[in-house]
Amino acid sequence: MTKPVIGFVGTGVMGKSMVRNLLQASYPVHVFTRTREKAEDLLDEGAQWQNSVAELAQDAEVIITIVGYPSDVEEVYYGESGILHNAREGAYVIDMTTSSPQLAQEIDKKAKEKKLHAYDAPVSGGDTGAKQGKLTIMVGGEAEHFEKIVPVFEIMGQNVVLQGPAGAGQHTKMCNQIAIASNMMGVVEAITYAEKAGLDPKTVLQSIEFGAAGSWSLSNLGPRMIDDNFDPGFYVKHFIKDMEIAIQSADRMELPVPGLKLAKSLYDELSKAGGSNDGTQALYKYYKMMAEQ
């Protein structure tokens, strides 16, 4: 059975590994990103370069986007040079950016007018999950055609769940980010406490990560914090964007989210201190600075 041509927009920290996994699974992948240099290694591995979003959309049967912000999503989907105007009838358009649920619903509506199948499918698992093809993929969109694109999702992730209609994937990702935000504060405080108490924080992790305190952030980002490794698996600036979307969505539902708002305020301060391009584990660096004052 011939595999569909995949058009992929965005080859950053996450996107690059996702494309690589698709190539290794023998999918024909066409790529476009604002800076071609970021995709050169993928081109060496077999990806085909397209000079614009429009060109990419015209040639692909499945179009995947993972860009930075909702404004970037609007840019690649809307207008005469965007995906919706140029994709062939019947194509699948899948936005894997963490973006606004309302924008996902709007794209779905416009896609239906063009006889396209739209899905919002944000991911969780960080750079490690992307490299290993073990991402969690939270999907919103029509159930009728979902099974046709599951094989593509399963190349990039292990936990693929259709959450409901358009926007449901993004709402689920907001749940994910809300849980992470408060948890990250706890991880940072726990490691700093261990150090202040004169303990070896790596030895402490050996005990607490397998008990009730266990979490992905504790096991995967805790060691990076202890090693002062703040390289981005997921950028602080993008996490701030996610938290802002979650706060806005919660406000629309008149839902109080005090933990989320506190976490965002700390990350805002970290960003102002020059940490916007660090990984989210850099909150540890900022918290230690506060503790020493």
Side-chain angles (χ1 to χ4, degrees):
M1 184 176 178
T2 303
K3 293 183 177 179
V5 174
I6 296 176
F8 205 104
V9 180
T11 57
V13 172
M14 301 290 286
K16 180 169 290 188
S17 293
M18 294 159 77
V19 169
R20 183 166 285 125
N21 288 333
L22 290 166
L23 288 171
Q24 291 173 352
S26 300
Y27 277 89
V29 184
H30 298 187
V31 297
F32 173 80
T33 192
R34 287 174 179 170
T35 307
R36 177 172 172 146
E37 287 74 16
K38 290 183 177 180
E40 286 293 348
D41 50 349
L42 295 175
L43 302 184
D44 291 340
E45 294 169 36
Q48 180 174 325
W49 175 256
Q50 295 287 0
N51 290 313
S52 67
V53 171
E55 285 185 17
L56 178 142
Q58 289 165 5
D59 289 338
E61 298 163 77
V62 177
I63 303 163
I64 297 173
T65 56
I66 184 163
V67 290
Y69 297 87
S71 58
D72 298 315
V73 175
E74 291 177 348
E75 181 180 337
V76 299
Y77 276 88
Y78 294 159
E80 291 190 4
S81 60
I83 289 169
L84 296 181
H85 185 76
N86 290 280
R88 61 178 71 174
E89 184 177 314
Y92 293 83
V93 295
I94 305 168
D95 184 33
M96 303 187 80
T97 313
T98 298
S99 183
S100 158
Q102 290 73 31
L103 178 56
Q105 291 165 355
E106 183 180 286
I107 289 173
D108 177 71
K109 180 180 178 181
K110 293 181 181 295
K112 282 183 168 63
E113 293 171 358
K114 299 283 188 177
K115 297 184 179 179
L116 304 171
H117 307 295
Y119 291 87
D120 50 289
V123 301
S124 180
D127 57 332
T128 301
K131 289 174 183 176
Q132 296 176 347
K134 295 181 179 180
L135 293 169
T136 288
I137 304 176
M138 301 155 250
V139 189
E142 54 192 2
E144 181 182 356
H145 300 282
F146 175 64
E147 291 301 324
K148 295 179 182 178
I149 53 171
V150 167
V152 175
F153 284 137
E154 289 181 338
I155 298 301
M156 299 178 285
Q158 284 187 330
N159 183 21
V160 182
V161 180
L162 179 64
Q163 294 288 340
Q170 297 294 355
H171 275 305
T172 304
K173 183 60 184 287
M174 292 304 104
C175 296
N176 187 83
Q177 302 305 73
I178 290 168
I180 287 174
S182 292
N183 177 245
M184 190 72 80
M185 291 189 292
V187 171
V188 166
E189 290 179 5
I191 292 174
T192 306
Y193 181 97
E195 292 172 338
K196 286 286 186 179
L199 302 172
D200 180 341
K202 289 188 177 180
T203 304
V204 170
L205 282 186
Q206 290 175 13
S207 292
I208 69 173
E209 70 175 321
F210 296 108
S215 70
W216 189 94
S217 294
L218 187 67
S219 295
N220 290 274
L221 298 182
R224 297 190 197 186
M225 294 176 189
I226 295 167
D227 291 338
D228 288 332
N229 175 3
F230 305 119
D231 293 340
F234 184 53
Y235 287 107
V236 164
K237 61 187 178 184
H238 290 160
F239 192 35
I240 290 173
K241 174 262 296 183
D242 293 357
M243 288 187 284
E244 182 61 37
I245 293 171
I247 289 169
Q248 291 172 354
S249 293
D251 286 346
R252 288 190 185 95
M253 295 184 285
E254 299 182 349
L255 176 70
V257 283
L260 174 62
K261 289 181 177 180
L262 175 57
K264 183 177 179 296
S265 71
L266 294 176
Y267 273 102
D268 283 338
E269 292 301 317
L270 171 60
S271 180
K272 290 176 185 177
S276 63
N277 287 315
D278 286 337
T280 52
Q281 71 274 19
L283 184 63
Y284 166 77
K285 176 172 58 176
Y286 179 71
Y287 185 79
K288 279 190 68 174
M289 182 179 69
M290 289 196 304
E292 292 167 359
Q293 289 178 350

